[in-house]
Amino acid sequence: MVALIYWPFIQGRGEFVRLLLEDAGAEYDDVARRPEEEGGGIAAVRGHMYGEGPGPAGFAPPFLIDGDVKLAQMPAVCAYLAPRLGCVPDDEAARMRALQLQLTIADMVDEAHDTHHPVSTARYFEDQKAEAIEAARDFREQRLPKWLGFFERTLERAGGDYLLGSEPSYPDLGLFQLVAGLRYALPRAAEAALGATPRVVALHDRVAARPALAAYLASERRIPFNEDGIFRHYPELDG
Ligand SMILES: N[C@@H](CCC(=O)N[C@@H](CS)C(=O)NCC(=O)O)C(=O)O
């Protein structure tokens, strides 16, 4: 059984890995969600940031442990798991294309995060609120439609129901999570932008309806969005 090590109180970047595992019905140990006295909690994440576990440490969670293998960086973790879980086609070009799309999703995740932390991740939102209001305006007016437009065109060109064509793969789960997160963080701006990207909305709904994911999303394993994560709802940033 693989182990996921990620902050236990947010969806964050760990959620992209959880979605993959949950969709495949895989058993996994979500280590930090165990109580601290059972090896979980924040202490588990800190331990793995500073050298615990097999192999060299990655810089920041999510971390995946599979036997002797320890990996960090969300897209790399997903690319490692996907062939093992049957969530990416076999041929190399399709696998690299899936990774390309997941890296693009990760880039957009960074930008969404930086709307509330445009100056520094090391400072509180309240200490960079004026800059955040400005950054969020540019994100809402320019970047959000541009990013979603890219995924809309990708779906159109793919000619099927999914980003790679007729078969679902892990970036589809990632795009679902992006839409869910944006709707939570910036409900007005997200609905306005999504109005122009019907294929992205349909993809979100198709992924949400996958039986294993629907069960996961309704379960207590799905941590609710909150103001500690990547997608934070601060009304002043939504225009
Ligand atoms: N590019 C990395 C980013 C990892 C990352 O920034 N993790 C955050 C949580 S989502 C963290 O714990 N950062 C700790 C730090 O930067 O000190 C990825 O995609 O996994």
Side-chain angles (χ1 to χ4, degrees), residues 18-38:
R18 282 198 194 100
L19 289 174
L20 193 49
L21 291 160
E22 292 281 351
D23 184 59
E27 271 193 57
Y28 63 103
D29 182 4
D30 203 339
V31 175
R33 300 197 57 193
R34 288 194 243 131
E36 211 149 294
E37 53 280 13
E38 290 171 29

Side-chain angles (χ1 to χ4, degrees), residues 6-7 10 12-13 49 59-62 72-75 106 230:
Y6 193 72
W7 303 112
I10 59 169
R13 291 177 177 86
M49 283 175 87
F59 177 74
Q73 291 284 6
M74 178 276 279
I230 291 169

